[in-house]
Amino acid sequence: MYHEKLTKKDVERLQEEIDHRKLVVRKEAIEAVKEARAQGDLSENFEYYAAKRDKNKNESRIRYLERMIKNAEIITDNSREDEVGLNNTVQLYMEEDDETETYKLVTSIRGNSLSGRISTESPLGKAILGHKVGDRVAVKVSDSYTYYVVIRSIENTEDDGSDAIRGF
């Protein structure tokens, strides 16, 4: 079974979302279903089906988050101040493209490459983890494809909670 690698802060935020969904969203969803049901004929009642869908979506999200916590492997960032580590923002020179890109290293539940957040479990994240400014690092994507990056800068940023937790 795959264990999600999470920080203690990740687990706390997941639990906060679960609590909110159970105590607030669930009550609102149940009330919406009751109101829609009271409107009469359920066979043609779009509001009823929409309310049921929203209620079920909330329950699915709760189960998903609880499973993530149950199967989590708690990790800590052991990188030194001058090394690439979790929640660091790094500037990388992509040799193949002759471009410089900026990424933040995050846990896999917060990864979103389109938003500049890469997981420490991704090929690029794994490759640069623990390296220093000036290091030329090989990023092995597959047995037949490897590319190189040069670490230009490392900014020690904090996990302020603004990086969204991915959906399911």
Side-chain angles (χ1 to χ4, degrees), residues 17-34 51-52 54-64 66:
E17 183 177 345
I18 289 168
D19 294 344
H20 175 75
R21 287 182 173 280
K22 283 183 174 180
L23 300 173
V24 178
V25 178
R26 180 182 278 164
K27 287 179 183 177
E28 292 170 353
I30 289 170
E31 190 58 37
V33 170
K34 284 180 187 177
K52 286 288 285 184
D54 290 345
K55 179 182 173 295
N56 291 338
K57 188 175 180 182
N58 183 58
E59 295 303 318
S60 293
R61 178 72 176 173
I62 291 169
R63 286 190 302 274
Y64 170 73
E66 288 175 336

Side-chain angles (χ1 to χ4, degrees), residues 4 14 16 19 56 68 86 98 104 145-146 154 162:
E4 196 75 51
L14 291 174
E16 286 171 9
D19 294 344
N56 291 338
M68 287 180 72
L86 190 61
D98 192 28
K104 181 176 181 182
Y145 181 62
T146 300
I154 303 169
S162 63

Side-chain angles (χ1 to χ4, degrees), residues 8 42 80 89 98-99 130:
K8 286 183 182 181
L42 298 182
R80 295 186 192 138
T89 301
D98 192 28
E99 292 181 1

